[in-house]
Amino acid sequence: MDRIRDGPIDITKYIMPAVKAMTEYRFPVLEVVVDGKKVFKKAPAVALVGNIREYGTGFAILPQARPDDQLLDVCVMPVSSRRDLIKLFLSAAAGEHVNQEGVIYVKGRKVRIESTTPVPVQVDGEAAGMTPVEIDLLPCRIPFIVPPESDI
């Protein structure tokens, strides 16, 4: 998206990159380990890791995430075809992707994602290398104020 956008990001800026990703994506085989335990074993998938609920412009892709719980939320969604990807996208837009068959949603402190072939990694929408990748949280460095639990 960063190569084709101009000006502030809004939901319309995601349409073309999303269409391009859906037509070009090759469904890599992933393995996901959280806190030393395999939570997803070698199958085509998309994995999302974070500590906030929303991604982009309002998709609650990690609906149980809390920025102040010192845990990463991990959502691994089996995807092996464009049809699966479209179904996943629509269920994510409706906030129902974590209830889909085969979806793994866990919390942990350290995440490792491996793949049979190198897969691009994004951090907040920006290119950040290739798999394998290890993700963990730094100790709290900057205090910040969060809304009451009912608002997060």
Side-chain angles (χ1 to χ4, degrees):
M1 181 176 79
D2 62 321
R3 285 180 269 139
I4 63 172
R5 79 172 183 217
D6 58 352
I9 298 173
D10 62 29
I11 196 146
T12 62
K13 302 290 196 250
Y14 285 91
I15 294 171
M16 287 309 295
V19 169
K20 185 174 181 180
M22 284 186 189
T23 59
E24 295 179 0
Y25 199 67
R26 295 293 173 250
F27 316 107
V29 172
L30 300 181
E31 180 174 272
V32 181
V33 177
V34 177
D35 294 339
K37 179 183 175 188
K38 282 185 189 172
V39 297
F40 191 83
K41 298 179 182 178
K42 297 186 179 180
V46 172
L48 300 154
V49 179
N51 69 341
I52 58 173
R53 290 179 178 184
E54 294 182 353
Y55 178 81
T57 57
F59 277 92
I61 208 76
L62 298 170
Q64 299 168 24
R66 294 188 44 87
D68 61 348
D69 67 0
Q70 299 180 10
L71 295 171
L72 292 165
D73 285 50
V74 181
C75 184
V76 186
M77 300 165 281
V79 177
S80 58
S81 69
R82 284 180 185 75
R83 182 177 180 194
D84 288 349
L85 193 59
I86 291 167
K87 180 180 172 186
L88 178 63
F89 177 80
L90 293 174
S91 66
E96 298 177 3
H97 59 291
V98 297
N99 301 319
Q100 299 298 314
E101 184 178 341
V103 171
I104 304 296
Y105 193 105
V106 297
K107 291 178 176 270
R109 297 190 184 279
K110 188 171 188 174
V111 180
R112 180 168 175 83
I113 302 172
E114 298 180 1
S115 56
T116 53
T117 60
V119 176
V121 174
Q122 290 185 25
V123 174
D124 199 21
E126 302 295 327
M130 306 291 272
T131 56
V133 63
E134 287 193 16
I135 305 162
D136 58 9
L137 289 173
L138 294 172
C140 186
R141 304 275 182 183
I142 302 172
F144 59 98
I145 299 170
V146 296
E149 190 171 321
S150 62
D151 294 341
I152 294 183

